[in-house]
Amino acid sequence: MDFSSSPASRREIRELPDELISQIAAGEVVERPASVVRELVDNALDAGATQIQVKLMAGGVRAIVVEDDGLGIPSEELPLALRRHATSKIRNLEELESVGTMGFRGEALAAIASVSEMAIASRSEGAAHAHRIDARSGELNPAARARGTSVEVRELFFSTPARRKFLKTDATELAHCVEAVRRHALARPDVGFAVWHEGKLVEQWRAGTAEQRVADVLGEDFVAESRVVAGGAGPLHIHGRAGLPEAARSRADMQYVYVNGRFVRDKLIAHGVRSAYEDVLHGHRQPCYLLFLEIDPSLVDVNVHPTKIEVRFRDGRELHQRVRYAVQDALAVSRAAEVVNTTSIHAAQQAAAEAPGYRPSPGNPPAWFGAAQTAAEAPAPAYVPSWRSNTQVSLGLAEAQALYAPQTPLPLAATSAPSALPPHDWPLGRALAQIQGVYILAENAQGLVIVDMHAAHERVVYERLKASLGAAAIESQPLLIPVTFAATAQEIATAEAQAEGLLRLGLDVAPLSSKMLAVRARPAALAGGDVVELTRGVLAELGQFDASQAIERAQHEILATMACHGAVRANRQLTLDEMNALLRDMERTERADQCNHGRPTWRQLTMRELDALFLRGR
């Protein structure tokens, strides 16, 4: 085949026909049957539906019918509903910039009609009967149905057979359609959803509470293996659930993010969540999470892509940090500390109930997904990035290493304050023995606790080191000879624009020429690292995220190494007092369920599990 270019002949400029314009738009809006389901369910929710049914044939390729009990469409507006860029959602630019509905572009129905055989039957409130319009002929006839709308889409891509060849098997397309409805169901627990395929009920979610909807859609296991996330202040509030590190999966198929009720895929938010798992989840495992972001509509642009699955934020860097710290705070409380907090709350409630004059509060306290948290209910403080701290205390690496030197093992018994709980209420129990100098056996109210003493002590030491450095300002160390390196135009522009922020991070970076940067100072705590690699990493993150993470990550890598060397080693014989001291430290330490490498530090064997091992009760 000859691919040589031939002389171009000029073709006159012409307007494209409306049908071709609609098919071009359909290429962006309608990717597969699931795209049709998503758009039609969006419209049903905007119409105020409380029950939505999706009926499919051949995975949605042969037929898609979406029925709702919403407000309906008056008969005189049905022809207009099929025209391109006709919508009831917005009227002007001001409404577009603060759009609060799921749909607003006014092109979905026209795009779907251009690649399928479509009909709409609708009845509005007060109408004597419904009307049905055929999208191809425009014929409008009386029809029978209750208030609401039914949209029938048949033979998808019949007019564009090349597009139809790209579709997968019926089972695959059905799975995508169910996933599209599942995403809506998670955001709208007040609406009932049902999915039918070939006349059989595939999925059904009844209207109910948010807690019950999450359990129905994502499973009881997700609820049991996740923590409540609650945070934010001002125009942004975040709530949802973050999965525990041990519940991580090999694929990112349990990650749901909603912005003002709209499911989105956003790299900024995904990066913020992933950074919150840095200390507890290593490798390529993917965390599970369900996050709802409520933000002032004027601060987010949803008019980015025809599918409306992408958004753009006005202040992406601050949002990234708020998401990160909200998830990080949820993961900070270990299971052992959770038991301590729960026991303390219950004890306080019991004491209050027994006090004279006690009266129970009317109604139930507000709680998202069932777990009431004092921090979640209290107004969150305004966010201030760590590098904006005015604290002038400086703790260098040498001072920290002197506190936790490997050659001087931590005296466990001396570092632990007595627990506020009586011994029989200790979450991690009372130490019994040590096995092979590696594991600690302890007894608690549930049964047997097995602790990896090195991994557990490593986390305790690591969190102490982070706390010591966390409140300190980043001390800068001038370089005797500045380090120069070739830089891209983007790196040079970032260095010039963010010079003040770089100084707060301990980096003094200035351009030498249009293609060269010079580093005159670096963070004192990272004196042994590669300054060029560090600077490049900070400049790259400063362009998208908060660059303090790059410094923080480098510091934490050093602290993690120090903690690993400073923790008690295997084969070291501990006394019962030292074992108990370590257990009490774990109960008070954040993220104590995993070591610095993401491995578990302790496991619980209940009496029922122990009985099963010995076939007791059979």
Side-chain angles (χ1 to χ4, degrees), residues 483-487 491-492 495 509-513 515-519 539:
V483 177
T484 61
F485 63 95
E491 289 174 333
I492 291 175
V509 184
L512 282 183
S513 66
K515 297 183 179 180
M516 192 77 67
L517 283 175
V519 183
L539 291 174

Side-chain angles (χ1 to χ4, degrees), residues 368-381:
W368 210 84
F369 288 160
Q373 289 188 347
T374 305
E377 296 171 9

Side-chain angles (χ1 to χ4, degrees), residues 6 78 139 421 556:
S6 57
L78 280 173
E139 186 177 357
L421 296 174
H556 287 178

Side-chain angles (χ1 to χ4, degrees), residues 327-410:
V327 176
Q328 193 169 288
D329 290 345
L331 298 173
V333 182
S334 69
R335 294 196 305 274
E338 242 177 8
V339 176
V340 172
N341 295 336
T342 303
T343 306
S344 301
I345 292 172
H346 290 170
Q349 291 173 344
Q350 184 66 25
E354 295 173 355
Y358 169 77
R359 292 183 180 179
S361 175
N364 295 322
W368 210 84
F369 288 160
Q373 289 188 347
T374 305
E377 296 171 9
Y383 164 69
V384 179
S386 56
W387 50 265
R388 296 185 191 173
S389 173
N390 294 323
T391 306
Q392 298 300 321
V393 180
S394 177
L395 178 63
L397 190 60
E399 290 86 346
Q401 197 160 11
L403 287 176
Y404 301 106
Q407 62 271 19
T408 309
L410 280 174

Side-chain angles (χ1 to χ4, degrees), residues 263 338 454:
F263 175 83
E338 242 177 8
H454 173 73

Side-chain angles (χ1 to χ4, degrees), residues 46-363:
D46 287 339
T50 59
Q51 294 291 330
I52 299 175
Q53 292 201 60
V54 179
K55 300 177 181 179
L56 307 170
M57 297 287 288
V61 180
R62 296 291 303 278
I64 301 172
V65 180
V66 176
E67 300 176 343
D68 68 66
D69 60 351
L71 299 175
I73 306 172
S75 58
E76 63 272 14
E77 294 182 14
L78 280 173
L80 188 61
L82 294 171
R83 296 182 60 181
R84 296 180 63 247
H85 304 306
T87 181
S88 62
K89 315 298 174 59
I90 58 173
R91 289 287 183 269
N92 49 47
L93 180 61
E94 182 179 351
E95 290 185 356
L96 174 63
E97 291 178 345
S98 59
V99 63
T101 53
M102 300 298 292
F104 58 89
R105 299 175 66 97
E107 59 185 356
L109 291 179
I112 295 168
S114 69
V115 292
S116 67
E117 297 176 355
M118 190 174 82
I120 303 176
S122 186
R123 180 179 179 180
S124 58
E125 187 71 37
H129 55 79
H131 285 82
R132 184 179 186 274
I133 186 171
D134 184 274
R136 292 222 156 258
S137 64
E139 186 177 357
L140 187 65
N141 295 309
R145 70 147 292 154
R147 193 196 75 168
T149 303
S150 299
V151 182
E152 304 173 25
V153 179
R154 300 188 182 277
E155 302 299 336
L156 189 63
F157 297 135
F158 81 98
S159 59
T160 53
R163 293 284 303 280
R164 195 160 186 167
K165 292 178 181 178
F166 282 93
L167 298 179
K168 306 299 182 183
T169 63
D170 291 352
T172 300
E173 296 301 335
L174 172 62
H176 284 286
C177 291
V178 173
E179 178 64 19
V181 181
R182 180 181 289 112
R183 291 170 180 172
H184 284 94
L186 281 170
R188 294 296 302 272
D190 58 318
V191 179
F193 296 86
V195 182
W196 299 76
H197 185 249
E198 307 285 354
K200 298 179 180 179
L201 185 63
V202 177
E203 289 284 2
Q204 183 176 23
W205 300 292
R206 301 183 186 277
T209 63
E211 180 183 9
Q212 186 59 47
R213 177 57 60 86
V214 172
D216 292 342
V217 177
L218 299 182
E220 297 283 358
D221 289 345
F222 173 78
V223 176
E225 297 175 348
S226 61
R227 295 264 173 68
V228 173
V229 177
L236 173 64
H237 291 275
I238 305 166
H239 55 90
R241 300 196 73 94
L244 296 172
E246 51 262 37
R249 302 161 70 94
S250 58
R251 296 189 302 159
D253 57 348
M254 282 280 281
Q255 298 177 352
Y256 296 90
V257 176
Y258 295 83
V259 175
N260 293 342
R262 185 191 309 277
F263 175 83
V264 300
R265 287 196 186 98
D266 188 78
K267 293 182 179 178
L268 190 76
I269 297 174
H271 186 276
V273 175
R274 182 69 195 191
S275 63
Y277 280 87
E278 278 182 353
D279 266 355
V280 292
L281 185 65
H282 294 256
H284 301 287
R285 303 284 291 174
Q286 295 292 332
C288 306
Y289 52 85
L290 169 64
L291 296 178
F292 293 90
L293 279 68
E294 304 296 335
I295 187 172
D296 185 343
S298 62
L299 300 179
V300 57
D301 182 11
V302 297
N303 188 27
V304 176
H305 192 273
T307 60
K308 304 183 293 292
I309 206 169
E310 298 177 15
V311 292
R312 185 181 296 114
F313 299 99
R314 180 177 296 180
D315 192 349
R317 193 172 300 157
E318 183 171 354
L319 177 127
H320 174 274
Q321 285 297 83
R322 289 202 187 186
V323 169
R324 177 194 177 197
Y325 287 119
V327 176
Q328 193 169 288
D329 290 345
L331 298 173
V333 182
S334 69
R335 294 196 305 274
E338 242 177 8
V339 176
V340 172
N341 295 336
T342 303
T343 306
S344 301
I345 292 172
H346 290 170
Q349 291 173 344
Q350 184 66 25
E354 295 173 355
Y358 169 77
R359 292 183 180 179
S361 175

